[in-house]
Each structure stands twice: as structure tokens, then as C-alpha cells.
Amino acid sequence: MYTQAMDIPNTDGPTAVPAINEQAREAEFNERAGRGEIVEAKDWMPEAYRKTLVRQISQHAHSEIVGMLPEGNWVTRAPSLKRKTILLAKIQDEGGHGLYLYAAAETLGTSRDQMLDALHTGKAKYSSIFNYPTLTWADIGVIGWLVDGAAIMNQVPLCRCSYGPYARAMVRICKEESFHQRQGFDLLLALSKGSEAQRAMMQDAVNRWWWPVLMMFGPHDKDSQNSELSMKWGIKRISNDELRQQFVDATMPQGELLGVTFPDPDLRYNEARGHYDFGAIDWSEFWNVVNGHGPCNKERLQARVDAWEEGAWVREAALAHARKQAARVAAAAA
Ligand code: BYC
């Protein structure tokens, strides 16, 4: 994409470019990003753009792999072989999404080890939603329907993100997320046609997950410190509040079909606005969870750290194998 003054690859290092060019390059970058052009890994980019992307993509990757944990809780208790197979496939997909995203973030010059270290030491964030427990089988359906539904709403615009490697990873992720959302809805549809107790279990799960799902979209636009720059650079295309509203509007008819209600007395269609109104979000709960004090934060982080430590021998064996292969190739060439 970037030619002329910006054609100098980032690897030249800052000293290779006269400082006077820096502002002009940045202005040209902003202008092109604003026009919707795509930035590739070797293009010049402002350090703040690179930093913002590494922050968002690595947080997103962490969310995918931590997101495997609440669902993993139900693999051994799925009610049928069919449901167990579907759940296993979904959880594997989330692991794959984590890999695409870590790989996209690595193109920005941050190593996977650095990102994982930030996760394991509690410095990096991941989505607040995965710090809530999965108490019943209906939670698995609600995660698919509402959590993946919110994820799709947030992630489809990211397929048009200005950073090419992230945008391309998102295309594949969104296709899989849409299957995840439908499997959740399908699971709940089965419960809705089941016994009174099954319907009550579904309603209870919706009651517990509804507000945390609305929090997934992040703080209100006026409190979103990263939005202004991210929107200017075309990393984010639609604001937190707009996406939240689109999600509520899209979800209401689906809830009607399932025969569930939502735990919000202020939720009603507003003819004048052409949208659903909804009640105030408890932001103190959101920040409490984001800052590490949600119901499952400690458990989730510990599970990731344990997996990393217990998997050390696999990484060592893979590296030893790669070294052996390389030595063999070198010996053959000699
Ligand atoms: N949880 O300025 P803001 C999935 C943080 S994966 C925790 O608006 P931004 C799935 C935010 O990071 C779901 N933290 O930020 C996986 C910022 O703190 P820092 C994850 C949150 O980046 C498996 C501060 O609050 N999806 O769905 O402009 C199975 C202020 O916020 C949250 C993605 O990561 C939160 N909910 O906007 C099933 C998508 N919200 O970083 C499903 C990509 C905000 O300044 N990410 N914060 O310390 C995004 O689109 C944006 O990063 C966000 C936040 C909309 C999440």
C-alpha cells in the first residue's frame, strides 16, 4: 500500500530516516488509513498504531484461549455424543482463533512468548465475559447464542480493519463464530421444546449472562479511551455503544422465538428511535471483573499458567525435533 515517502520499511530503524520526515509520514499515514487503505506488516506505521494493534490483537487472542475454559468444563458432561462432538469442535476452533491472532500480532514484531508472559503474569487483559462460571448445560447454549453472537457483532467490522493480517484472520474467525452462534441457538431451541425444568434452566442462564454479555462491548463511547485513535486509524469501524445497540436489536426477536425474557425492566422497543431501549449497565461490576476480581479470574489464569507449565515438555520436544531436522538437512547439503 504505502509508496512514496512512506515506502521505507520499518526495519530501517528510526535513525535511518531524518526526523523532519517523521511528521509528514505520520500525516500521510493517517490520511491513507482514514481513506480505508490497507496497511501491511512491512509498511511504515507510527509506533502508536503498532502499539494499539498489538494491545487489541493480543487481548483478543488471549480471550480466545481463555474462552476455551468455561466451555471445557462441560465436555465430559454433555448430554449426548452429538452435543459432545459439537462442543469439542467449537472449543478446538477457539484454540485455532487464538493461533491466527497470535500469528497476526507477531507480524508487528512482538513474540508469542512476550504476549503469553503478559497473560500469565496478569499484565494483559482478556474479555471480561470469561470470568463467569458455567453452572448448567444451558450456559453452553447461552454462551453460543449470546457470547458468540456479541462476538460476531463486534468482529464482523474487524474484517475491514486497516491492518491486513488482522483483517484476514478475522474473516476466517467470523465464519466459524457464526457456526458457533447457531449451535448455541440450536441447543437452546432443543431446551425450549423440552420439559418445564429445562426451560427454567435456560431462563436462569439467560438471566445470569445477559448483563455480562452487554459489558463485552466495552465502556460507553464517552469513557472509551482508545476509541478515538482506533477509529481514526480504521482499526475500529463502529463504536462500542453502536455495536451494543445493534446486538440488543438483533437479539430480541431471537429471544422471543426461544420464549425467554431478559432481566431488564427498562428493555422495550422505542418507536421514535427505531431501536430497543435498555437499562443502565453496572460499570462497577465490569471494572471489578476487568481488574481481576470477577468470580473466576483467579481460576482462569491459574488454568492457563498450569497448561503452560505442564506443556513445557511438548515445546522442548518439538524444538529438539526441529533442531534434529535442521541438522539433518544441513548435513545432507554439506
Ligand atoms: N473485557 O477504550 P476501550 C470472543 C478494556 S473473544 C476486558 O473501549 P478498545 C469469544 C480495554 O481493553 C472476545 N477488558 O478499548 C472467544 C481498555 O483497556 P486497555 C474478545 C475490556 O480496545 C471464545 C479499556 O477497557 N473480543 O468473543 O477500544 C469463545 C477501555 O476500553 C473489555 C475482542 O477482543 C472487556 N469486555 O475497545 C467465544 C475483539 N472492554 O487495553 C467468544 C477485539 C473494554 O486500554 N477487541 N476493555 O488497558 C475489540 O473490539 C476492542 O478491544 C474492545 C474494547 C471493543 C473489546
Side-chain angles (χ1 to χ4, degrees):
M1 152 194 179
Y2 291 95
T3 51
Q4 302 161 17
M6 302 168 71
D7 209 15
I8 307 157
N10 200 57
T11 43
D12 284 358
T15 49
V17 182
I20 198 149
N21 275 348
E22 209 63 16
Q23 276 182 335
R25 281 174 136 196
E26 196 160 331
E28 193 178 348
F29 178 94
N30 289 343
E31 204 231 313
R32 290 182 171 194
R35 273 207 310 264
E37 287 189 33
I38 300 299
V39 184
E40 294 297 342
K42 288 192 171 165
D43 292 331
W44 183 88
M45 60 185 82
E47 262 326 289
Y49 177 83
R50 181 186 301 278
K51 233 172 134 180
T52 292
L53 278 171
V54 170
R55 176 188 65 79
Q56 177 166 326
I57 303 173
S58 63
Q59 284 177 6
H60 193 167
H62 300 328
S63 303
E64 297 285 353
I65 62 164
V66 176
M68 298 164 78
L69 300 170
E71 294 176 315
N73 187 31
W74 280 88
V75 171
T76 55
R77 288 177 286 162
S80 69
L81 188 56
K82 180 183 142 192
R83 293 287 177 198
K84 189 197 286 268
T85 318
I86 294 171
L87 184 57
L88 273 172
K90 179 181 191 290
I91 296 170
Q92 274 187 341
D93 284 353
E94 314 294 5
H97 298 174
L99 285 181
Y100 311 154
L101 290 164
Y102 284 125
E106 278 177 315
T107 64
L108 292 155
T110 302
S111 75
R112 197 169 302 192
D113 281 352
Q114 282 173 308
M115 290 183 266
L116 286 173
D117 185 61
L119 173 66
H120 296 156
T121 53
K123 287 186 207 125
K125 290 190 170 73
Y126 58 86
S127 182
S128 49
I129 196 70
F130 301 118
N131 293 305
Y132 291 85
T134 40
L135 303 181
T136 69
W137 174 246
D139 289 23
I140 297 303
V142 169
I143 287 180
W145 174 40
L146 296 180
V147 174
D148 287 273
I152 295 168
M153 199 54 89
N154 165 269
Q155 291 172 14
V156 166
L158 293 175
C159 299
R160 293 183 290 115
C161 161
S162 57
Y163 188 56
Y166 189 27
R168 289 189 288 275
M170 289 316 302
V171 170
R172 194 154 167 190
I173 291 175
C174 284
K175 282 188 184 153
E176 292 175 357
E177 293 291 12
S178 122
F179 156 75
H180 296 173
Q181 202 251 359
R182 272 177 279 167
Q183 71 78 34
F185 193 79
D186 178 71
L187 191 165
L188 295 177
L189 209 52
L191 290 183
S192 75
K193 293 175 185 152
S195 65
E196 203 46 55
Q198 285 170 321
R199 278 192 291 277
M201 182 168 74
M202 170 170 66
Q203 182 61 60
D204 170 64
V206 172
N207 292 347
R208 283 182 289 107
W209 287 92
W210 178 245
W211 289 108
V213 164
L214 292 190
M215 294 172 196
M216 282 177 71
F217 295 92
H220 284 313
D221 295 349
K222 63 176 172 41
D223 303 316
S224 163
Q225 72 256 22
N226 299 300
S227 275
E228 192 186 336
L229 271 177
S230 288
M231 303 276 276
K232 180 174 98 175
W233 284 323
I235 295 172
K236 279 167 92 161
R237 299 274 179 200
I238 308 184
S239 80
N240 297 0
D241 282 330
E242 266 182 272
L243 288 169
R244 193 172 5 248
Q245 180 71 64
Q246 284 179 17
F247 171 76
V248 172
D249 290 346
T251 304
M252 289 306 111
Q254 298 167 4
E256 220 167 280
L257 213 89
L258 291 172
V260 291
T261 58
F262 297 88
D264 178 358
D266 297 323
L267 187 63
R268 69 181 61 88
Y269 191 69
N270 181 328
E271 290 282 351
R273 288 202 314 123
H275 294 289
Y276 281 85
D277 288 338
F278 52 95
I281 291 170
D282 180 356
W283 293 111
S284 64
E285 175 181 329
F286 171 76
W287 289 114
N288 203 35
V289 175
V290 171
N291 291 324
H293 311 297
C296 300
N297 292 60
K298 285 195 179 64
E299 187 185 326
R300 300 290 184 241
L301 206 55
Q302 193 58 49
R304 286 311 321 164
V305 171
D306 289 349
W308 178 253
E309 286 173 357
E310 286 161 21
W313 69 271
V314 179
R315 293 190 299 279
E316 281 159 22
L319 284 174
H321 179 69
R323 273 195 297 271
K324 232 179 187 175
Q325 294 285 91
R328 243 181 239 153
V329 171

